[in-house]
Amino acid sequence: MKGSVKFATPEGQPRKIWLSRDNGTGKPTVVDSVELGPDLTYSFRIKQDHPGIYKLNVMYWDHISFWSDADVKVASRGYDTAKIKMKIPHFYFVEGSSDNNFINQMELNSTNGYLRSVDEYNQEYFAKQHKEKTGDSAWANYWVGRRKYNDLRKDQDEREDLLMKVYKDRPVLIYALRSAGSPHDTTQYASTLRQLDHLIKLYPWLSEAKNLKNTIIRNRAQMMKLQPGQPAPSISYPDNFGKLQGLEKYKGKYLLVDFWASWCGPCRQAIPKVKELHEQYKAKGLEVVSISIDTDKKAWEKAMADENMPWEQLLSDNKDKTMELYQFSGIPTLYLIDREGKIVTKFTGYSPEAEATVKQAIEKGISGQAQPEKKVIKAMSM
């Protein structure tokens, strides 16, 4: 495969590109790495016994997936030259094969869905701000009551379903099935296993499909332990002073656990709203703990200083284990835990609906009462 970047790497920034392979276990394996050439190009020669899903990590900035059944070529931005940088997904077209076009279309659908969700969130937020500042409610009323042909998630899902039907007999379908095994939807879970069995029958050599089936079954079992009313899993992570901290000390309080990262745009957008929520309800027993999955400690420390969050900050020492333990693939993901240390609800992304759920739980004094998981504005996927 051949790649190129548009912008020269600034002095002091990494010039390395890593290539990893998705083996279906949820933990891609790094198989090679190269330095960016002086002409801003790079290349890999892949040794494989069958095609699969590969991912490029271009200098910790661009992340690009492709299917390795042919020579592929991709051009990306490289290190962002903007004065103010925000880590948002970019779509890159990978030239290659017909099967590789499945990933291209899936990636574009996901990127557009994410950008649309941010746009809608901003519209709603600024409409509300305008109403509060000016008393003019026209914009806010329109935004809340407008008629939509589809909400953003349904629109994205319909496009994805069509692509999966078109490619139902192709091995590259495993790219979409990696995130299609939700334990909350028994119908979808069963459908995902059927599709994997279908691919395994058509392509006995596709070890990734077999691994993925086992991974989905294992993740479902773990997710069952995270249902409302179940005890929150015990953790022990270092705080910003390097001292190990857990969640047990918050028993007797309501606890909002926020999984985030410094590079996550939606996470940073949500922090001011969490601050408002904390300020409003801390007298009623609400505490907040932020757990970062950053792998760059300096970036985490800078983000903490920038955001000035008035609650405990912890840094995961193994983001993969943390994500598996609490079963999330997108951030921000937040868990509300009751006074007894039991899960009340979980939501991925932050929205007025999610906020209302937290407020309702505290106001009504919920203690382990079941609440459905909230999937609201689309978060950043890992």
Side-chain angles (χ1 to χ4, degrees):
M1 76 81 50
K2 296 180 180 179
S4 63
V5 300
K6 184 176 182 179
F7 300 112
T9 307
E11 188 69 29
Q13 295 297 330
R15 294 179 60 89
K16 204 165 188 178
I17 297 92
W18 291 265
L19 179 70
S20 60
R21 176 157 182 156
D22 191 324
N23 55 23
T25 65
K27 299 177 182 178
T29 303
V30 176
V31 295
D32 204 354
S33 64
V34 296
E35 292 287 331
L36 182 68
D39 59 350
L40 305 185
T41 67
Y42 59 91
S43 65
F44 288 98
R45 182 174 293 276
I46 298 172
K47 297 178 181 180
Q48 58 181 10
D49 56 7
H50 65 267
I53 301 167
Y54 284 82
K55 189 169 187 176
L56 295 166
N57 177 346
V58 183
M59 300 176 294
Y60 295 120
W61 203 256
D62 295 323
H63 297 270
I64 307 165
S65 297
F66 65 91
W67 183 251
S68 64
D69 64 336
D71 289 338
V72 299
K73 182 179 179 182
V74 62
S76 63
R77 286 173 56 86
Y79 191 82
D80 201 319
T81 59
K83 184 176 181 180
I84 299 175
K85 299 176 177 61
M86 179 175 287
K87 198 80 169 181
I88 62 173
H90 291 281
F91 168 70
Y92 295 110
F93 180 77
V94 180
E95 298 179 45
S97 63
S98 176
D99 275 5
N100 202 75
N101 283 336
F102 175 72
I103 295 180
N104 281 328
Q105 293 175 87
M106 290 288 295
E107 284 287 305
L108 179 60
N109 189 40
S110 177
T111 299
N112 285 347
Y114 168 75
L115 295 176
R116 181 181 164 192
S117 72
V118 172
D119 181 55
E120 290 202 4
Y121 177 83
N122 286 338
Q123 286 272 7
E124 185 173 19
Y125 173 77
F126 287 113
K128 183 179 178 182
Q129 291 292 102
H130 178 75
K131 179 180 177 181
E132 292 175 353
K133 290 179 180 179
T134 68
D136 179 4
S137 61
W139 185 12
N141 290 344
Y142 164 75
W143 193 251
V144 172
R146 75 197 190 286
R147 294 182 64 184
K148 297 183 289 185
Y149 79 97
N150 257 345
D151 64 34
L152 64 92
R153 186 65 216 180
K154 185 175 181 182
D155 185 40
Q156 185 176 341
D157 286 346
E158 286 185 350
R159 296 173 189 272
E160 185 174 298
D161 288 344
L162 175 60
L163 285 171
M164 292 177 70
K165 287 178 182 178
V166 173
Y167 284 84
K168 64 181 178 64
D169 295 328
R170 301 301 304 162
V172 72
L173 184 69
I174 61 171
Y175 181 79
L177 295 176
R178 295 176 307 165
S179 59
S182 171
H184 297 287
D185 188 336
T186 301
T187 301
Q188 184 193 41
Y189 174 75
S191 175
T192 300
L193 294 189
R194 284 197 301 271
Q195 291 175 89
L196 285 170
D197 285 339
H198 178 64
L199 291 181
I200 292 169
K201 183 177 180 180
L202 290 176
Y203 307 101
W205 47 264
L206 192 60
S207 57
E208 293 86 346
K210 299 171 185 176
N211 292 339
L212 181 56
K213 180 179 178 180
N214 291 333
T215 299
I216 289 174
I217 292 172
R218 185 179 67 250
N219 285 345
R220 180 181 173 86
Q222 176 62 21
M223 184 64 80
M224 291 300 116
K225 300 176 183 178
L226 298 171
Q227 297 307 294
Q230 295 297 313
S234 177
I235 58 95
S236 181
Y237 299 131
D239 61 19
N240 47 317
F241 301 104
K243 185 177 180 180
L244 288 178
Q245 304 287 354
L247 304 181
E248 293 78 9
K249 63 184 176 183
Y250 292 100
K251 281 194 176 181
K253 300 276 190 178
Y254 293 101
L255 179 63
L256 192 63
V257 182
D258 179 11
F259 293 98
W260 73 297
S262 63
W263 45 260
C264 167
C267 300
R268 305 289 288 265
Q269 284 182 317
I271 289 171
K273 302 302 293 181
V274 177
K275 282 184 179 179
E276 292 177 11
L277 186 68
H278 179 242
E279 181 64 27
Q280 183 178 356
Y281 283 92
K282 64 181 180 180
K284 295 186 177 182
L286 176 65
E287 298 284 352
V288 180
V289 172
S290 291
I291 300 178
S292 171
I293 58 170
D294 273 287
T295 53
D296 183 339
K297 187 176 180 181
K298 289 184 178 179
W300 172 58
E301 291 172 340
K302 183 179 184 304
M304 281 193 296
D306 292 343
E307 299 295 348
N308 192 28
M309 292 170 276
W311 52 75
E312 190 167 57
Q313 304 292 319
L314 306 181
L315 178 63
S316 168
D317 53 7
N318 188 318
K319 75 171 187 177
D320 292 331
K321 286 185 178 180
T322 299
M323 294 171 69
E324 183 175 355
L325 182 64
Y326 272 88
Q327 285 294 294
F328 63 92
S329 58
I331 48 176
T333 287
L334 299 98
Y335 277 84
L336 178 62
I337 300 172
D338 70 13
R339 296 179 186 274
E340 298 176 4
K342 296 179 180 178
I343 295 169
V344 176
T345 190
K346 165 193 176 185
F347 45 93
T348 300
Y350 196 88
S351 76
E353 292 81 9
E355 184 177 284
T357 299
V358 177
K359 290 181 177 180
Q360 183 184 47
I362 297 172
E363 293 286 357
K364 291 187 176 182
I366 291 177
S367 179
Q369 180 175 328
Q371 295 285 331
E373 177 183 346
K374 305 294 181 183
K375 292 185 178 179
V376 286
I377 69 162
K378 185 174 176 59
M380 289 195 72
S381 297
M382 302 299 296

